[in-house]
Amino acid sequence: MDYYENSAISQSFLKNVLKNYFGKEENDSMQRGSLIDHFLFIGTDIDTYDGEINKYCELAMLVEGEITPQKILEQVRLKKYNDNYLDKTHLANIEKIQSFLDWYEPGKKVYTTKEVNSAKEKVEFIKNSDHYKFLVRDENFYQVALFGEYQNTSLKGLIDWIAIDHQQKKILLIDLKTSHYNKIDLFSLSVKEYRYDFQMAFYKYLVEVNYKKLLTAGYELEIYWLGYNFNKTFLWRVSDIDLDIGENGCVKLSGDYIDGLGNSYGSSFQIYGWKQALDIYNKALAMQSPDYDLDYISNKGYITKSTYVG
């Protein structure tokens, strides 16, 4: 069953339900991370562009249909790039990217040779670490597509690495993560910001569904983030608390506000788990609403609440 062709719900889709946003979110860091994932878990080579990608190259990739200098110039003007330049100056600069245009095909994922070589170096660094070697077991499966169902809704997940240790009767669920911090305990900030707990709790459910026979036979499920940053790797075993919050959510108390009369008001906000996100999705689906902001739908946009107390 092809993961990308399957219409089941993924954890990333559910995160977007909570944000009520479905625009494209890919930055340079995410692109580098996907390259490292590719070479670590898939290993096949990638066709690369042996040069620098400048703004004109980026604008050329926005052209629909046949890419011509004139169409690139239209994108330049549309995006107001160096708007003070004359057309002939832009066209002269566009002529300089001919080698890129000869290489590029519409829809092609663009990576430079420099980016790919950097990713390969990082992969060797990870593979030579004790943390990576600790995870290698009897059977190792990479980029594993798992499918399941929860409350009549089809789910899917693409898991970086599942390792099975038959001697110790363990199943290891592993996800590779980049840390932007040189102090490892600050990785917890990334967990909360990007909701890695939400993701891992979702994957845990799919592993429990798909590996039920082994788990029933007494195999223990261990869940890890294999992390790396500028100069070190680390292995973070995901706690049961994080997995519970990722699945069922929690309420965070933010402290009290005291007004000028000495009255104290408590403040809190909801952190959602994947099951709550799925519930929101199904409620919106039942209402045939493309909008997942259920509060907005229920009060038709008329809001009466304190911005401080909630």
Side-chain angles (χ1 to χ4, degrees), residues 25-147:
E25 289 186 350
E26 180 169 305
N27 53 39
D28 291 340
S29 176
M30 291 168 67
Q31 180 154 309
R32 285 192 299 273
S34 65
L35 262 182
I36 291 168
D37 272 24
H38 176 88
F39 287 116
L40 188 61
F41 299 123
I42 300 175
T44 56
D45 220 341
I46 290 176
D47 184 24
T48 62
Y49 175 62
D50 193 15
E52 296 295 328
I53 306 296
N54 64 21
K55 188 66 177 180
Y56 291 101
C57 297
E58 294 173 5
L59 292 170
M61 289 187 276
L62 298 178
V63 172
E64 295 184 4
E66 183 185 1
I67 301 174
T68 65
Q70 195 59 43
K71 286 184 177 180
I72 299 172
L73 181 61
E74 290 173 8
Q75 288 296 327
V76 168
R77 291 308 184 198
L78 184 65
K79 301 298 182 182
K80 301 186 183 300
Y81 176 60
N82 285 340
D83 227 13
N84 57 320
Y85 285 13
L86 296 173
D87 282 358
K88 66 178 183 180
T89 304
H90 281 303
L91 288 169
N93 288 331
I94 290 169
E95 189 176 344
K96 294 175 183 176
I97 67 164
Q98 189 58 50
S99 62
F100 172 80
L101 298 178
D102 292 340
W103 172 84
Y104 178 70
E105 297 172 4
K108 189 175 190 176
K109 195 77 173 176
V110 175
Y111 296 110
T112 66
T113 303
K114 183 179 178 181
E115 287 174 325
V116 165
N117 287 340
S118 175
K120 286 180 176 178
E121 288 176 10
K122 189 68 73 175
V123 165
E124 287 307 306
F125 169 69
I126 293 168
K127 281 188 171 181
N128 288 326
S129 71
D130 291 338
H131 302 112
Y132 177 88
K133 292 173 183 177
F134 169 83
L135 296 169
V136 177
R137 301 300 167 104
D138 304 327
E139 293 185 280
N140 299 277
F141 305 99
Y142 306 111
Q143 294 291 287
V144 184
L146 296 183
F147 301 89

Side-chain angles (χ1 to χ4, degrees), residues 18-282:
L18 294 179
K19 291 184 286 188
N20 202 27
Y21 174 75
F22 291 88
K24 185 178 180 182
E25 289 186 350
E26 180 169 305
N27 53 39
D28 291 340
S29 176
M30 291 168 67
Q31 180 154 309
R32 285 192 299 273
S34 65
L35 262 182
I36 291 168
D37 272 24
H38 176 88
F39 287 116
L40 188 61
F41 299 123
I42 300 175
T44 56
D45 220 341
I46 290 176
D47 184 24
T48 62
Y49 175 62
D50 193 15
E52 296 295 328
I53 306 296
N54 64 21
K55 188 66 177 180
Y56 291 101
C57 297
E58 294 173 5
L59 292 170
M61 289 187 276
L62 298 178
V63 172
E64 295 184 4
E66 183 185 1
I67 301 174
T68 65
Q70 195 59 43
K71 286 184 177 180
I72 299 172
L73 181 61
E74 290 173 8
Q75 288 296 327
V76 168
R77 291 308 184 198
L78 184 65
K79 301 298 182 182
K80 301 186 183 300
Y81 176 60
N82 285 340
D83 227 13
N84 57 320
Y85 285 13
L86 296 173
D87 282 358
K88 66 178 183 180
T89 304
H90 281 303
L91 288 169
N93 288 331
I94 290 169
E95 189 176 344
K96 294 175 183 176
I97 67 164
Q98 189 58 50
S99 62
F100 172 80
L101 298 178
D102 292 340
W103 172 84
Y104 178 70
E105 297 172 4
K108 189 175 190 176
K109 195 77 173 176
V110 175
Y111 296 110
T112 66
T113 303
K114 183 179 178 181
E115 287 174 325
V116 165
N117 287 340
S118 175
K120 286 180 176 178
E121 288 176 10
K122 189 68 73 175
V123 165
E124 287 307 306
F125 169 69
I126 293 168
K127 281 188 171 181
N128 288 326
S129 71
D130 291 338
H131 302 112
Y132 177 88
K133 292 173 183 177
F134 169 83
L135 296 169
V136 177
R137 301 300 167 104
D138 304 327
E139 293 185 280
N140 299 277
F141 305 99
Y142 306 111
Q143 294 291 287
V144 184
L146 296 183
F147 301 89
E149 190 174 283
Y150 181 76
Q151 292 185 347
N152 298 317
T153 302
S154 296
L155 308 176
K156 66 177 182 179
L158 190 61
I159 297 172
D160 281 343
W161 184 359
I162 293 176
I164 301 178
D165 188 326
H166 294 293
Q167 290 184 333
Q168 297 186 36
K169 299 188 76 171
K170 289 183 179 181
I171 302 171
L172 276 57
L173 163 58
I174 305 146
D175 197 58
L176 183 69
K177 293 299 180 194
T178 306
S179 176
H180 303 294
Y181 303 99
N182 207 28
K183 197 167 184 290
I184 298 306
D185 63 351
L186 294 179
F187 174 69
S188 61
L189 299 178
S190 295
V191 173
K192 294 170 187 173
E193 181 180 358
Y194 299 110
R195 293 306 310 276
Y196 295 156
D197 58 308
F198 182 108
Q199 177 187 28
M200 283 305 238
F202 185 89
Y203 288 168
K204 174 178 177 282
Y205 176 78
L206 288 176
V207 169
E208 288 172 339
V209 169
N210 286 269
Y211 290 85
K212 187 175 181 180
K213 183 181 286 188
L214 288 181
L215 293 168
T216 303
Y219 280 63
E220 179 187 358
L221 177 59
E222 295 183 359
I223 302 175
Y224 294 95
W225 288 303
L226 172 60
Y228 66 93
N229 61 7
F230 311 101
N231 59 4
K232 64 184 77 167
T233 61
F234 62 91
L235 194 59
W236 189 303
R237 184 164 179 179
V238 185
S239 73
D240 290 340
I241 294 173
D242 289 357
L243 291 167
D244 180 58
I245 292 173
E247 180 179 354
N248 302 302
C250 68
V251 174
K252 178 174 173 56
L253 302 178
S254 301
D256 293 338
Y257 290 95
I258 301 175
D259 66 16
L261 300 175
N263 297 312
S264 177
Y265 303 97
S267 179
S268 65
F269 65 89
Q270 179 72 46
I271 296 173
Y272 293 93
W274 72 262
K275 287 183 176 178
Q276 294 164 306
L278 185 61
D279 186 52
I280 292 170
Y281 165 76
N282 283 325

